[in-house]
Amino acid sequence: MVTVQKRFVSLFVCFALLLSLVPSFTATAAAKAVNVTVDGKKLTANVSPQTVNGRTFVPYRAIAEAIGATVKFDSKTNRATITKGKQTVELTVGSKTAKINGSSAKLDAAPLNVKGTLLVPLRFVGESLGVWVTWKASTSTAALETKKTIKHSLGSTTLNSVPKRAVVLFNGAVDISVLLEVKPVGAVESYIQQPFYEYIRPKLKGTKTLGDETQPNLEAIAALKPDVIIATKVRHEKIHAQLKSIAPTIVTEDLSDWQDNLQIQAQIFNKEEIAAEFLAEWKAKVADFKRKLPAKDKGAAISIIRFNPDGSARAYNAGFAYKIFKELGFSTPKQQLATGQEFITVSSLEQVSLLDGDYIFDFTTDWDGDGAVLQHQKKWTTSDLWKNLNAVKKDKYYKVNSVTWNLSGGAMAADLLLDDLYFHFDLE
Amino acid sequence: MLLLLASFTLFAAAGCSNGAGNGDSGSGNSVSANVSQTSSEVQQDPWSGVTPATISDTKSGIESLQSAVKEFKQAVEAEQTEEIKKLAAEMAGVWVAMQADVKSANGSLHETIDGELQRLMAEVASDKRSKDVLIELDYSLYQHLRDLKQHF
């Protein structure tokens, strides 16, 4: 009898030990506390927001009320429905399939039931309802904003939800939209390779063209009923009032400052993580380039030029490619600096020495498609005066891609330009 | 241009060694055998007579081409004629090895790169080869290979 009892006890102890080794599958097993703010105010709820496997979950009712949404819960189907404006999100406990306005959407993680409270994935709900969601790692805070005010070159503009119908009025911003995975409903067409530059065209199927950057079609813009218009000062200041009357309009300061434009657009579209990652990679590539550049080329004087259809040429002491070369530590040819001009017109072959440098990069474009500017280019570049240029004598005159070096002006174009320089400067 | 390309394949066959990529001791013989093809047969396949290089996969083939393209530019600028020819032959071999895969992945890019390589080979084979033309073709190849790599 004692032996049987002993055996029973030891079996029980073994079983209990085994049970204690089995991990708990409750929602809080791997939960980490996290803060959630909505428009700067801390979210309070009966069950605290928490991060599970890298995803932040919040009580559905608390988040809905905090962002101004209405909420319903069907206890038979365990489904929560959250509605804000024209957006409706449906989530079901334990299911990775949600619905946005009736269409199915996949979740990385299913909503959880914690102590009888439904917790829903914060980012998915926030973004589905047009709310800006930003994660601040240093304070473990998910910051939600139901509206956003963007300061720009012609004032400030408040957006009441993350835009879904963007109109983009300059080429650099079209490039950046593609990078940020935002397909505009309308965009200006490219200067060449219409409707859009080949390197981004596949991502713009369905985007309507709106004329060109210098003269966008206002009626076509209005017809699209956009919820944001992205413009740039040098091109669109004169039509700003008309644009504003169509939709909230944000006007960037400098169409060639792709980094600033990227950050502004990332703010607008709640894509700051993508932008931050891109910029971090860019900085790393710039550092890599500078490190690998041989001493003989460090600080080299770079002449950036194009030939014009009117028989002149232009040297750039400003603009997209110029900024990138500056960032890479190159210098400007002294004779160009001495003019004090940002865009130097060279109207005759006798002045061709203005185009010289240690390197000359030429992004001449055959705008009209008739070959005339290429004939003009050939006439100058086969002349004795040209052949006597320092860069030409050293075989450092290169014709380069006019789209990625000049006509686009976007973030992806910058990346392609930098990669081209590994070719031109013989770097691995 | 196709006749120039045919000439190129002749000199490529002469210049190619087993170190050009395929490690096949019979490669020289197979290239020599193709020399006797008729011009009509050459027209049908611009790469006939070029022995495919050995590549582990298309991605590594692209990377190999990208390296060769960069070295080619340097050889052109240094006016190293033999090196230019060697690199051109190397590029041809790698392209032949991978072009079927490239065509399946992206017909448009295949056509572009194929055309550029043909023009490059023709220019290399020409008595009046132009440094400027070679560099421009090489740069264009560099960009298109970069685009191509995204598909693999």
Side-chain angles (χ1 to χ4, degrees):
Chain A
M1 185 68 167
V2 170
T3 307
V4 169
Q5 274 182 332
K6 272 189 184 172
R7 193 175 288 171
F8 180 77
V9 165
S10 53
L11 274 175
F12 179 80
V13 167
C14 286
F15 186 64
L17 276 172
L18 277 171
L19 269 184
S20 72
L21 292 173
V22 172
S24 168
F25 288 107
T26 63
T28 55
K32 285 167 62 175
V34 65
N35 300 311
V36 176
T37 62
V38 179
D39 293 331
K41 293 181 191 165
K42 189 172 175 178
L43 182 76
T44 53
N46 54 332
V47 174
S48 300
Q50 48 199 264
T51 301
V52 178
N53 295 329
R55 290 173 191 85
T56 302
F57 289 80
V58 292
Y60 85 100
R61 187 172 291 279
I63 193 66
E65 288 169 359
I67 63 175
T70 57
V71 59
K72 289 189 299 188
F73 185 76
D74 185 334
S75 54
K76 287 181 191 168
T77 56
N78 272 337
R79 182 183 303 143
T81 303
I82 308 171
T83 303
K84 184 177 190 299
K86 293 179 184 173
Q87 295 292 104
T88 296
V89 176
E90 294 171 50
L91 299 134
T92 305
V93 176
S95 171
K96 284 189 181 180
T97 301
K99 283 192 180 175
I100 303 173
N101 293 342
S103 299
S104 291
K106 276 283 171 215
L107 302 172
D108 290 338
L112 309 167
N113 186 327
V114 175
K115 300 177 187 173
T117 297
L118 174 63
L119 298 193
V120 293
L122 171 65
R123 184 171 281 282
F124 176 80
V125 169
E127 290 182 350
S128 303
L129 296 174
V131 172
W132 285 265
V133 181
T134 311
W135 173 250
K136 297 178 184 178
S138 57
T139 54
S140 294
T141 300
L144 277 70
E145 295 166 275
T146 59
K147 58 184 174 185
K148 200 179 257 287
T149 298
I150 310 275
K151 284 186 185 171
H152 56 92
S153 68
L154 295 180
S156 64
T157 297
T158 298
L159 303 170
N160 293 317
S161 67
V162 179
K164 292 197 182 310
R165 296 185 61 77
V167 150
V168 180
L169 298 185
F170 63 103
N171 284 282
V174 179
D175 165 308
I176 289 168
S177 298
V178 170
L179 172 67
L180 297 177
E181 299 170 3
V182 173
K183 187 190 289 191
V185 294
V188 288
E189 63 177 16
S190 48
Y191 289 114
I192 59 173
Q193 298 176 4
Q194 289 96 349
F196 302 115
Y197 296 122
E198 286 167 5
Y199 78 101
I200 51 174
R201 192 186 300 156
K203 299 286 187 185
L204 294 166
K205 286 179 185 163
T207 299
K208 300 278 185 216
T209 55
L210 300 169
D212 80 35
E213 185 176 294
T214 60
Q215 205 167 8
N217 183 325
L218 291 171
E219 282 179 8
I221 294 170
L224 289 174
K225 296 184 170 41
D227 54 10
V228 75
I229 297 173
I230 297 171
T232 193
K233 192 173 177 185
V234 70
R235 298 283 190 233
H236 310 121
E237 185 170 11
K238 289 179 184 169
I239 58 169
H240 179 226
Q242 290 150 290
L243 293 173
K244 264 194 335 182
S245 71
I246 298 171
T249 300
I250 287 142
V251 185
T252 75
E253 179 68 44
D254 181 350
L255 74 88
S256 69
D257 188 343
W258 68 268
Q259 295 187 42
D260 189 55
N261 293 333
L262 171 61
Q263 289 175 310
I264 290 173
Q265 282 178 248
Q267 281 179 53
I268 292 168
F269 296 112
N270 195 31
K271 300 284 186 176
E272 286 175 281
E273 281 179 27
I274 298 178
E277 191 180 328
F278 188 91
L279 287 168
E281 283 175 11
W282 170 262
K283 284 185 169 41
K285 285 178 192 176
V286 166
D288 181 75
F289 181 89
K290 284 168 134 177
R291 185 173 49 82
K292 288 176 179 172
L293 192 66
K296 67 176 176 64
D297 285 326
K298 287 192 195 305
I302 306 295
S303 179
I304 305 161
I305 74 166
R306 77 168 191 213
F307 290 91
N308 296 320
D310 66 2
S312 66
R314 169 186 277 193
Y316 288 75
N317 278 195
F320 177 74
Y322 183 82
K323 284 186 172 68
I324 292 171
F325 277 108
K326 279 289 173 201
E327 190 174 354
L328 294 170
F330 291 107
S331 66
T332 308
K334 287 182 182 148
Q335 77 282 10
Q336 290 179 11
L337 270 177
T339 67
Q341 295 168 32
E342 290 188 329
F343 302 105
I344 301 158
T345 299
V346 180
S347 26
S348 72
L349 186 54
E350 284 65 38
Q351 297 176 301
V352 78
S353 61
L354 274 171
L355 302 178
D356 203 1
D358 294 321
Y359 286 78
I360 302 172
F361 293 100
D362 175 359
F363 47 61
T364 296
T365 312
D366 186 10
W367 295 95
D368 302 323
D370 61 3
V373 71
L374 300 178
Q375 288 301 317
H376 164 52
Q377 178 189 53
K378 187 176 179 182
K379 185 178 167 192
W380 280 36
T381 57
T382 51
S383 70
D384 289 338
L385 283 172
W386 176 269
K387 289 175 186 173
N388 204 36
L389 295 180
N390 177 51
V392 175
K393 285 192 289 192
K394 292 179 183 174
D395 279 337
K396 298 302 179 192
Y397 163 66
Y398 296 109
K399 292 176 186 170
V400 293
N401 188 314
S402 63
V403 169
T404 51
W405 280 62
N406 186 39
L407 300 176
S408 168
M412 294 197 294
D415 196 47
L416 292 169
L417 189 162
L418 179 52
D419 190 70
D420 277 4
L421 294 181
Y422 280 75
F423 174 86
H424 294 298
F425 287 93
D426 304 327
L427 307 181
E428 285 303 318
Chain B
M1 183 164 83
L2 284 170
L3 284 176
L4 279 172
L5 187 57
S7 318
F8 171 76
T9 58
L10 280 173
F11 98 72
C16 272
S17 66
N18 288 341
N22 65 6
D24 178 353
S25 59
S27 64
N29 288 338
S30 65
V31 169
S32 300
N34 284 332
V35 163
S36 60
Q37 278 183 317
T38 64
S39 60
S40 61
E41 286 170 333
V42 167
Q43 280 175 357
Q44 288 165 20
D45 179 8
W47 303 106
S48 65
V50 175
T51 304
T54 300
I55 56 174
S56 52
D57 54 35
T58 302
K59 185 180 172 190
S60 65
I62 294 170
E63 287 166 356
S64 175
L65 262 182
Q66 286 178 308
S67 288
V69 154
K70 278 185 175 173
E71 290 172 35
F72 185 85
K73 178 217 180 241
Q74 293 167 50
V76 169
E77 290 185 335
E79 297 181 4
Q80 296 170 337
T81 307
E82 289 312 308
E83 185 68 8
I84 290 168
K85 290 177 182 175
K86 173 182 160 279
L87 285 164
E90 190 179 303
M91 287 195 267
V94 172
W95 178 244
V96 167
M98 66 185 234
Q99 65 163 330
D101 247 4
V102 171
K103 197 170 184 180
S104 300
N106 191 308
S108 173
L109 263 176
H110 169 269
E111 192 179 334
T112 300
I113 294 172
D114 192 75
E116 284 172 347
L117 273 167
Q118 285 189 49
R119 287 195 295 280
L120 188 112
M121 301 302 155
E123 190 67 25
V124 168
S126 167
D127 289 336
K128 297 177 187 173
R129 74 178 73 92
S130 157
K131 272 168 81 170
D132 289 345
V133 170
L134 284 173
I135 298 282
E136 283 176 38
L137 282 168
D138 198 46
Y139 171 55
S140 198
L141 267 170
Y142 178 80
Q143 295 173 82
H144 289 123
L145 287 170
R146 180 174 61 203
D147 295 341
L148 183 63
K149 198 169 173 186
Q150 292 178 21
H151 294 271
F152 289 91

